[in-house]
């Protein structure tokens, strides 16, 4: 069982967000693995709680995760507005480049033009 405290859809969305943030926080460094491999390594191996019968991590995934560890920016880089904007933009977009849908907790309390206003102002 993974992340038993939250629903499967929430786990999936959290995993996607962690992947987007991590990818946005990577430096341009030599030896960057393929984008699909990076996403798979992060999504299927880095951001899951290990089970007792943990599977063997494939060699290419191990290399990709080592590259991520070596190429990740320090969190203090988020103080740079350009870096923070890139992270927020990564959270705003899906993998295919289209904007994510917006889920407001109380849409009936807002006027029609105010939906997702905070998210759009942040980016």
């Amino acid at each position: 069982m993974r992340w038993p405290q939250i629903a499967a859809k929430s786990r999936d969305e959290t995993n996607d967000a962690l992947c987007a943030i991590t990818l946005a926080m990577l430096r341009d460094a030599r030896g960057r693995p393929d984008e699909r491999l990076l996403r798979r390594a992060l999504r299927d191996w880095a951001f899951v709680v290990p089970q007792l019968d943990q599977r063997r991590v494939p060699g290419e995934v191990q290399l990709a995760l080592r590259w991520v560890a070596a190429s990740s920016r320090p969190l203090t880089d988020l103080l740079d507005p350009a870096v923070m904007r890139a992270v927020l933009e990564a959270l705003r977009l899906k993998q295919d480049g289209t904007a994510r849908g917006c889920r407001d907790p109380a849409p009936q309390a807002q006027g029609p033009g105010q939906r997702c206003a905070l998210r759009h102002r942040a980016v």
Side-chain angles (χ1 to χ4, degrees):
M1 183 182 297
R2 296 179 180 170
W3 302 358
Q5 304 86 349
I6 57 176
K9 178 81 170 150
S10 295
R11 289 191 304 262
D12 191 49
E13 291 170 350
T14 300
N15 193 311
D16 283 345
L18 289 170
C19 287
I21 292 166
T22 301
L23 291 170
M25 289 292 291
L26 294 175
R27 292 185 188 100
D28 291 327
R30 277 185 53 208
R32 183 183 179 103
D34 174 67
E35 193 73 15
R36 273 193 235 134
L37 174 58
L38 281 174
R39 284 189 180 280
R40 185 169 54 96
L42 293 170
R43 184 167 176 70
D44 297 344
W45 297 94
F47 300 130
V48 293
V49 178
Q51 295 179 341
L52 293 176
D53 62 337
Q54 186 176 3
R55 305 167 287 166
R56 274 188 135 57
V57 180
E60 66 180 1
V61 170
Q62 287 179 358
L63 291 173
L65 292 176
R66 279 193 207 120
W67 184 89
V68 167
S71 302
S72 295
R73 295 173 176 270
L75 288 177
T76 55
D77 282 6
L78 289 171
L79 296 173
D80 178 349
V83 174
M84 179 57 86
R85 269 190 232 98
V87 170
L88 291 173
E89 183 69 9
L91 288 171
R92 190 179 73 81
L93 299 175
K94 295 185 210 175
Q95 275 183 273
D96 65 4
T98 61
R100 290 187 187 278
C102 202
R103 290 189 327 204
D104 292 322
Q108 68 277 6
Q110 300 173 353
Q114 295 178 348
R115 296 199 84 198
C116 305
L118 181 59
R119 179 182 287 178
H120 296 293
R121 273 189 230 123
V123 176

